[in-house]
Amino acid sequence: MIKNLLLGVLLGTVLLCQAEAKNPPLRHHLVRLGWGDPLFETLAFHEGAAQDFVRKDHFCYTGHFFLEYQYRLNRVVGLGIQTDIEGIFWKETPVDTYHKPTGASVPSRNYDLSILPTLRLTFLNSRYVQLYGGFAAGLMVAFDNSRHTELAPVVNITPLGVQVGKDAWSGTLELGGLTSLMGANKVYMLGSRLVSVSVNYSW
């Protein structure tokens, strides 16, 4: 009888260890800081022919810096809020019909600030790897150093995210697309931040 009891305890311990390995403890809170590529911006904003007798050159792009807090309701659903900001800078020089400068260059600094409630659906939970998809929608504020401000809806779709780590610290690679527009003739972002990475802390 003692032998059977010991075998039962041993088997129960093994099963509990296996369950723990497959289902690590759920950490409800997650904060992450990340950066996403500015591929769309480099394609949409670049040096070209002078328009309205103004030449734009010396372009610079920060890419997308974002901060997110997320609360995990359970092992599948997580809700959060994300703030994303990017900068696009260039110089504007007045020119004549022969593209010769007629005045001093003036710096133009443009920023896009997005605030998005987020939804994450995790379809693989293991001790070291999580796979998930996500959706976010919110408001973008575009502003510049000339005190121009515009508002537009913004959407971020993440078909695939991979989170790798153990315990409190982890890293994330996401494939997605950040889009903000006010119609076909006013596009702020279209498939921006296609690839992003972040460092995460959870508790």
Side-chain angles (χ1 to χ4, degrees), residues 157-178:
I157 299 174
T158 305
L160 178 62
V162 181
Q163 182 173 311
V164 178
K166 182 184 177 184
D167 298 328
W169 291 97
S170 61
T172 298
L173 171 68
E174 283 186 354
L175 304 178
L178 193 62

Side-chain angles (χ1 to χ4, degrees), residues 11 42 82 118 138 170:
L11 180 60
T42 60
Q82 182 180 118
T118 62
S170 61

Side-chain angles (χ1 to χ4, degrees), residues 70-201:
Q70 184 181 124
Y71 181 78
R72 295 286 298 274
L73 298 175
N74 50 49
R75 295 188 182 278
V76 177
V77 181
L79 299 175
I81 186 79
Q82 182 180 118
T83 301
D84 178 290
I85 189 166
E86 68 165 339
I88 308 166
F89 315 128
W90 62 77
K91 289 185 177 181
E92 297 186 354
T93 307
V95 296
D96 59 20
T97 55
Y98 301 102
H99 306 294
K100 299 294 184 181
T102 59
S105 297
V106 177
S108 179
R109 296 186 292 274
N110 303 267
Y111 303 91
D112 296 327
L113 173 64
S114 301
I115 301 173
L116 307 102
T118 62
L119 167 67
R120 178 188 287 195
L121 300 175
T122 302
F123 48 86
L124 173 65
N125 263 303
S126 70
R127 180 166 291 276
Y128 299 105
V129 178
Q130 292 181 16
L131 299 180
Y132 62 89
F135 176 80
L139 181 69
M140 189 205 71
V141 183
F143 59 97
D144 60 26
N145 59 322
S146 297
R147 298 185 179 179
H148 296 141
T149 303
E150 294 181 335
L151 303 177
V154 60
V155 173
N156 187 34
I157 299 174
T158 305
L160 178 62
V162 181
Q163 182 173 311
V164 178
K166 182 184 177 184
D167 298 328
W169 291 97
S170 61
T172 298
L173 171 68
E174 283 186 354
L175 304 178
L178 193 62
T179 298
S180 179
L181 49 85
M182 291 291 287
N185 296 323
K186 203 158 195 177
V187 179
Y188 297 97
M189 293 180 283
L190 183 61
S192 187
R193 211 178 97 179
L194 296 176
V195 179
S196 61
V197 293
S198 69
V199 176
N200 319 316
Y201 182 79

